[in-house]
Amino acid sequence: MTAVAWDWANFAIRWLHVITAIAWIGESFYFIALDLGLRRPPGLPQGVNGEAWQVHGGGFYHLQKYNVAPAAMPEELHWFKWESYWTWISGFALLCVLYYADPELYLIDRHVLDLPGWGATAIGIGVLILGWIIYDGLCRSPLARDERALSVAVFVFLVALAYGLTFVFSGRGVFIHVGAVIGTMMTGSVAMVIIPNQRKVVAALKAGETPDPRLGREAKTRSTHNNYLTLPVLFLMLSNHYPLAFSSRWNFVIIGLVIVIGVAIRHFFNTMHAHGLKPWWTWGVATSAFVLAAWLSTFPDTRRDVAEAGPVPARLAAALARPNFGEVRDIVIGRCSLCHSQEPVREGLAAPPKGVRLDTDEEIAAHAREIYLQAGIGRAMPPGNITEITGEERAKFAAWAMAGEHER
Ligand code: HEC
C-alpha cells in the first residue's frame, strides 16, 4: 500500500503547489498591471503618484500609489510574501516526493551519467543553492547598473546551467531542475531582497529619515525579473508532460527558446498596460521561437542508445530478480511497447508518452511502481485497454511489484 499512499501524498502536495503558485503569479500579474496602469489626473493628494479605479465583484475600488510612502504609516500594512514562500516550500516538497525519493526513476539516466541515487539528490539540491548564489551575485555585480546587460547575463546563466545539466541528469531531470532554480531565484528574491528592503524603507520612514533609494531600485529589478520569468517557469514546471521537448538532444536550446517566448509575451502585455501600445513584433518573435523549438524537438538524444552503461544498480537488479519478471516482461512487450518504446509503432506518437520507455529490462524494473499504479491496481493503462490486457495480467503486474514493496 505504500505506493498508493505515496501517490496520494504526491497529489496533495501538487494540489497545494498549484494553488499557491496561482495565488502568487496572479498577484504578480495584478500588481504589474496595476502599477503600469496608474493614471495621474490633476488634484492627486500630496505624495500620491498615481491612481486607478477598478470594479470587481459588485464594488468599486479606488487605489492610490504613494511613490515612497505616505506621510504617516498606516496601522495595518498587508505584506505579500506567503504566496511566494509556500509556492517554494510545496515545490521543494514535490521535488523530494517525486524526484529525490526515487532518483532512479526520472532523475538519473545511466547512459548520461551513472550516478548513485544519493549523489543525484545531492547534486539536485546543490544546484538549487548554487543557482541562487550565482543569480544573486549577478544582481549585485557592477553588471546590474545596466538592466539589459543584467537580463542578458541571467539568460546566459540559465541556458549554460541547462547545458551543463544535460551531462548529469535525464532530460526530464534537467528541465525540472532549471525550473526549480528559477523558482528558487524568484522566491529567494522575495525573501532576501524585496521584503527585507521594504522593511528597511518602512523602518527609515518611521524614524523620520529618508530611505536609501537604492533599496527600492534593487527590489524593483528583482520584481521585474520575477514578472518576466513567470511564463518560462510555468513551462518548465509542466515539462514532464512534454517528453518531446526534454528528450531532444537540443533540449537546452529549447529551454533558452522557452525563456525568449515567455519574456516576449510578458513584454507585449507590460507595454500594453504601461503605454497602451501593442508591440506586435513580440508575437512574431514568440511564434518563430516556438516553431524552432518544435523543430528542434524532433532530434532525439541518441546517447541512450549507443552508450554502454555500467553495472545495474542494486535496486533495479532486485526488481529484475523478483519472481515472474520474465512474465512481466512478456506482458509489457505485448501490451505496452506499442507506445512505450523509443520509436513508438503506434501512429500519432512521436516519442514515448511522458518519456516512459518500457523497452528494456532495466526500464521495466525502474518503472515497477508506475506499472503497478497505472496498469496493476489502476486501469489508466493501456488507454482504453487498446491492447486488451487481461485481469490476470494486471494481477501479475501487481504481484510482481508488490513483491518489491519493501525495497522503497
Ligand atoms: C496506445 C498507447 C499506449 C499503450 C499501449 C500504453 N500506454 Fe502508457 N501512456 C500512454 C499515453 C498517451 C500516456 C500519457 C498519459 C498522460 O499524458 O497523462 C501514457 C503514460 C504512461 C505512464 C506515465 C503516467 C504518468 O502519469 O506519469 C506510465 C507509467 C504508463 N503509461 C505505463 C503503461 C503500461 C504499463 C502499459 C502497458 C500495460 C502502457 N502504459 C500502455 C499511451 C499508452
Side-chain angles (χ1 to χ4, degrees):
M1 283 317 277
T2 44
V4 174
W6 205 256
D7 235 42
W8 278 93
N10 173 343
F11 295 161
I13 299 172
R14 189 184 294 254
W15 198 4
L16 174 66
H17 185 55
V18 171
I19 293 167
T20 55
I22 288 174
W24 181 20
I25 291 177
E27 170 207 305
S28 162
F29 284 5
Y30 175 74
F31 273 103
I32 290 268
L34 174 66
D35 218 41
L36 296 175
L38 291 174
R39 298 290 172 259
R40 290 173 196 83
L44 287 177
Q46 180 75 23
V48 172
N49 188 44
E51 68 171 14
W53 280 92
Q54 300 183 342
V55 55
H56 186 83
F60 293 86
Y61 296 79
H62 183 197
L63 296 119
Q64 298 188 321
K65 179 174 180 181
Y66 290 79
N67 221 13
V68 181
M73 270 293 150
E75 275 300 306
E76 259 184 53
L77 197 53
H78 184 86
W79 296 77
F80 290 88
K81 55 181 184 184
W82 286 109
E83 298 83 350
S84 165
Y85 296 171
W86 273 106
T87 304
W88 191 88
I89 294 168
S90 55
F92 185 70
L94 195 55
L95 200 55
C96 291
V97 166
L98 263 172
Y99 291 87
Y100 299 154
D102 191 1
E104 271 148 33
L105 185 58
Y106 294 127
L107 196 50
I108 300 173
D109 183 336
R110 300 195 314 116
H111 303 270
V112 171
L113 188 64
D114 195 0
L115 286 168
W118 62 266
T121 302
I123 293 177
I125 295 175
V127 162
L128 298 188
I129 299 171
L130 202 70
W132 163 254
I133 294 174
I134 294 177
Y135 169 68
D136 191 51
L138 285 175
C139 291
R140 291 175 196 277
S141 73
L143 211 64
R145 276 186 226 123
D146 180 346
E147 260 180 46
R148 280 186 191 200
L150 178 62
S151 315
V152 171
V154 171
F155 174 78
V156 170
F157 157 61
L158 289 173
V159 176
L161 172 74
Y163 180 67
L165 286 178
T166 60
F167 295 96
V168 182
F169 291 146
S170 67
R172 194 170 155 162
V174 173
F175 271 53
I176 203 68
H177 276 86
V178 176
V181 164
I182 298 181
T184 305
M185 282 159 43
M186 293 169 73
T187 296
S189 286
V190 174
M192 319 274 227
V193 178
I194 300 176
I195 296 286
N197 283 18
Q198 195 73 56
R199 284 198 196 287
K200 283 181 208 156
V201 169
V202 170
L205 289 166
K206 281 193 173 153
E209 295 157 10
T210 317
D212 184 350
R214 184 183 53 87
L215 296 169
R217 259 202 323 270
E218 274 176 11
K220 185 74 201 156
T221 303
R222 303 289 181 124
S223 148
T224 307
H225 287 177
N226 281 6
N227 183 258
Y228 276 106
L229 288 170
T230 43
L231 300 190
V233 83
L234 283 177
F235 179 96
L236 293 167
M237 291 304 168
L238 297 175
S239 63
N240 64 345
H241 297 293
Y242 316 139
L244 270 179
F246 68 67
S247 58
S248 155
R249 65 193 286 192
W250 299 113
N251 54 8
F252 62 96
V253 181
I254 295 180
I255 291 184
L257 291 169
V258 164
I259 299 177
V260 169
I261 296 171
V263 168
I265 296 176
R266 275 314 304 155
H267 186 69
F268 177 85
F269 286 103
N270 288 348
T271 313
M272 187 173 82
H273 291 308
H275 312 293
L277 299 174
K278 296 184 175 148
W280 292 112
W281 61 266
T282 56
W283 288 100
V285 172
T287 313
S288 319
F290 197 84
V291 171
L292 185 56
W295 180 64
L296 290 176
S297 76
T298 59
F299 299 89
D301 185 354
T302 45
R303 275 181 295 181
R304 312 192 59 181
D305 299 314
V306 290
E308 280 286 326
V312 180
R315 198 173 69 93
L316 295 194
L320 292 170
R322 277 179 221 156
N324 303 336
F325 180 75
E327 281 174 277
V328 163
R329 176 180 38 208
D330 290 346
I331 305 171
V332 167
I333 291 171
R335 313 293 187 194
C336 317
S337 55
L338 177 70
C339 305
H340 291 284
S341 48
Q342 175 63 11
E343 280 170 23
V345 180
R346 172 83 213 278
E347 240 177 84
L349 292 177
K354 284 213 164 176
V356 174
R357 267 177 74 174
L358 299 173
D359 51 4
T360 65
D361 287 2
E362 257 179 54
E363 294 281 359
I364 297 173
H367 286 92
R369 197 170 60 95
E370 291 347 269
I371 295 174
Y372 169 71
L373 289 169
Q374 298 283 333
I377 55 166
R379 294 284 182 275
M381 289 291 141
N385 200 0
I386 190 167
T387 48
E388 300 184 344
I389 191 170
T390 65
E392 199 186 326
E393 288 169 334
R394 291 192 191 278
K396 281 195 180 137
F397 277 162
W400 167 71
M402 287 297 276
E405 269 284 83
H406 60 277
E407 285 162 20
R408 182 165 189 110

